[in-house]
Amino acid sequence: MTMFNQEFAVSSLEQAELERDARRLIVDYTYAIDDGKLADWPGFFSDPCLYRITTRENEQNNLPLSIMLCDNQAMLYDRVEAIERANIFEPHYYRHVLSDSVTRKIGADQIEMDTSFHCVRTMLDGRMMLFAAGRYADRIVREDGVCRFRSRTVVLDSSRVDTLIALPL
Amino acid sequence: LTKVNTQVNESTVRWPVEGVRRIPFEVYSSQDVFDQEQRDIFRGPIWHFLGLEVQVPEPGCYVLAQMGEVPIIVVRHEDGSIGALVNRCSHKGTPLAFVPSGKVANFMCIYHNWCFDLEGKMLSAAFERGVKGKGGMASTFRKEDNGLQRVRVHTVCGLIFGTLNAATPSFEDYLGADLIANIHRVCGRPLRLLGKYSQSLPSNWKLYIENVKDPYHASILHAFNGVMKQDRLTMEGGITMGARGWSHISYSKMTTDLGGEIYETAQMRNAELAAYGFGLRDKSMTDVWDDFGDSVSMTIQTIFPNFVLQQLRNCLAVRTIVPVGTHESELRWIAFGYQDDDERKTNGRLKQANMMGPAGLIAMEDGMIGSLVQKGIAGSLDRAAVVEMGGHGIEPIPGSRVSEGSVRGFWTGYRALMGL
């Protein structure tokens, strides 16, 4: 990391600001999903971008399959429209709980961070379950002073999903 | 092999006099039915999918599988052939392997270190001659009588099937030539593993396989299919039945929609979505190519009782629905492409995989529809489902998929094996 910092000649103050803004992005994203503001979801990403959900098992075995894969903003909007208009599922809410984020790599206007999460799913009849646990592996870029996800990979600890994943994690 | 007599409670289901156009709801809920299925179907005369050869590339590579409740090890032998063993030590019944996949020289049980070669032959047991002549196995013990239980295996185009029953017919007789031809069509080139995942479904396994065998619902429940014109009953297509009607293929050609405004004008959700103007902004997911030069854009093939081979445009996968309990099953997916795919094709398959799996734009609803049915039928187990689309029988209607004949075909096989 030291080498990287020297290469980009980033001051510790600028680093701290970028880290702070990136953490804010991660938190804002989480509340948008959990508050049901699905229409806001694509706006958290740059264009082009990469959003994918995969499993620890596929990642460890270098298998490229995703459970969900969007590699541009149009695909994110398509996903939102499919969820809101076409797909049918029992309505439910997510409640994410995040760990503190760890910085893996930092440059002038981009930062790579990992964040652990739990996600509880609650159905309208009151059934609740620990639906997912895993890690966000994020590459966040600052464009015009605003942090956005260049890529967000959701690595699920379990390879088995209960019933279905309608809403993005 | 050490076998003792065990008793399975025979289920008391009485099948309605109408035959396979009625499905008694009790078969989705009864523990006795579940237990009898384990014996008469999953340990009975069926061919059960166990995995892909590409999952066990080298001698000693193994992958775990299930045949109903029975745990199975699929392994590549030293000579390159494929074998399968029941994953149960002949000593105390401990699984020999409990990590889902790996590579071993032989199988050593962790409990008392009994060792077996890759073909299941017993090699040794810890302290089999005791210590300094004291203790050790009884003189009556013979290693050659205590190998692992072997599973009869059949491989075709990199797909591995197994059976636990001596009475199972040959794979060719079990399936029929038309269905074997489609396996060669979809899996006839060396496969590349793309990944896997599974879904816990809070419903009976048969509600899932019936859903797969039902082309009637595909463009209705999955509105994405209909409104995006991925698969419609107005397209050229049909159903091909396997031997005895137990297994099937449903296919369609998306470039040959025979037209009509049924989807836009009938009382269906498709019409609402069409009026709203649902459409994709991104075209890369629907950028498809003709893998097989026959313009058949979709084939869904089942192999009785619980296997699916899927071609959705260029999105290729196998699925197995594993029964866990009367109200619980696990749907296991493996996605694949071909070893000679270039990067564009691999990326295209990975992108089209958005249609399948737990978050599948098409497949998503299949994960929950069984659990809804299970809720609806609770307390009505003396009643039955009505399955009369396309008539009473299992004969396919040429050129039409507006039929539940393949669903009735599944139940024909089910009743035959269960004696119901």
Side-chain angles (χ1 to χ4, degrees), chain B residues 122-140:
Chain B
M122 184 172 179
L123 300 173
S124 60
F127 298 114
E128 59 185 277
R129 291 191 183 79
V131 176
K132 293 185 179 172
K134 291 181 181 172
M137 293 299 285
S139 61
T140 51

Side-chain angles (χ1 to χ4, degrees), chain A residues 53 55 57-58 61-75 77-79 81-83 85-90 125 127 159-167, chain B residues 100 192-202 221 223-224 269 273 276 278-282 284-285 330 335 350-351 353-354 356 358-361 364-365 367-368 372 375:
Chain A
I53 303 175
T55 67
E57 186 185 13
N58 282 336
N61 291 309
N62 294 314
L63 295 171
L65 181 68
S66 306
I67 292 176
M68 198 186 289
L69 167 66
C70 299
D71 68 359
N72 59 62
Q73 276 217 342
M75 283 190 85
Y77 282 109
D78 288 342
R79 199 34 105 151
E81 189 156 277
I83 295 164
R85 297 272 173 181
N87 288 126
I88 303 177
F89 49 90
E90 249 189 284
D125 68 2
R127 276 173 296 144
S159 298
R160 192 163 72 202
V161 171
D162 183 79
T163 311
L164 56 81
I165 298 182
L167 310 175
Chain B
R192 179 188 167 192
L193 189 63
L194 294 180
K196 52 202 268 255
Y197 45 62
S198 77
Q199 288 169 263
S200 284
L201 303 185
L221 174 66
F224 186 89
R269 284 187 60 245
L273 284 165
Y276 163 77
F278 185 89
L280 292 184
R281 299 186 194 199
D282 174 73
S284 62
M285 202 180 77
E330 184 185 348
L350 291 171
K351 202 170 254 199
N354 275 301
M356 68 175 232
L361 291 164
M364 186 186 300
E365 290 88 4
M368 64 91 182
L372 285 187
K375 281 182 192 173

Side-chain angles (χ1 to χ4, degrees), chain B residues 59 68 93 95 97 107 120 122-123 156 181 225 242 303 337 339 369 387 399-400 420:
Chain B
F107 294 107
M122 184 172 179
L123 300 173
V156 53
N225 239 344
I303 297 180
Q339 279 179 18
I369 193 67
V387 184
S400 173
L420 292 175

Side-chain angles (χ1 to χ4, degrees), chain B residues 50-238:
Chain B
L50 296 177
L52 300 177
E53 283 202 49
V54 70
Q55 292 179 277
V56 285
E58 294 164 21
C61 287
Y62 76 86
V63 63
L64 300 186
Q66 293 284 136
M67 291 176 74
E69 293 175 321
V70 181
I72 304 290
I73 304 174
V74 182
V75 62
R76 190 171 297 268
H77 298 151
E78 293 296 344
D79 67 0
S81 63
I82 299 282
L85 305 161
V86 176
N87 188 8
R88 184 195 66 233
C89 183
S90 36
H91 179 208
K92 300 291 290 260
T94 320
L96 277 307
F98 51 88
V99 175
S101 62
K103 189 176 180 183
V104 293
N106 54 46
F107 294 107
M108 184 199 282
C109 181
I110 53 165
Y111 202 171
H112 304 87
N113 289 176
W114 285 31
C115 288
F116 305 86
D117 73 9
L118 298 178
E119 300 191 38
K121 197 177 123 202
M122 184 172 179
L123 300 173
S124 60
F127 298 114
E128 59 185 277
R129 291 191 183 79
V131 176
K132 293 185 179 172
K134 291 181 181 172
M137 293 299 285
S139 61
T140 51
F141 180 79
R142 289 159 48 86
K143 277 189 272 198
E144 51 269 41
D145 294 338
N146 285 278
L148 300 177
Q149 184 183 345
R150 288 179 193 167
V151 179
R152 207 170 121 208
V153 161
H154 180 84
T155 60
V156 53
C157 297
L159 275 55
I160 306 165
F161 293 86
T163 183
L164 288 165
N165 199 294
T168 309
S170 74
F171 192 76
E172 288 72 18
D173 289 345
Y174 184 75
L175 213 50
D178 290 341
L179 272 63
I180 289 184
N182 190 54
I183 294 176
H184 284 273
R185 173 178 167 275
V186 180
C187 304
R189 286 180 268 165
L191 306 184
R192 179 188 167 192
L193 189 63
L194 294 180
K196 52 202 268 255
Y197 45 62
S198 77
Q199 288 169 263
S200 284
L201 303 185
S203 53
N204 190 276
W205 68 277
K206 300 187 292 301
L207 287 168
Y208 183 80
I209 203 72
E210 268 193 301
N211 169 279
V212 174
K213 300 199 72 163
D214 159 20
Y216 179 25
H217 87 286
S219 57
I220 302 173
L221 174 66
H222 310 302
F224 186 89
N225 239 344
V227 76
M228 294 309 299
K229 302 184 181 175
Q230 298 284 304
D231 179 33
R232 287 183 165 199
L233 293 174
T234 48
M235 291 169 182
E236 190 183 324

Side-chain angles (χ1 to χ4, degrees), chain B residues 345-356:
Chain B
K345 284 187 174 173
T346 299
N347 288 338
R349 295 191 207 285
L350 291 171
K351 202 170 254 199
Q352 291 179 45
N354 275 301
M355 293 184 289
M356 68 175 232

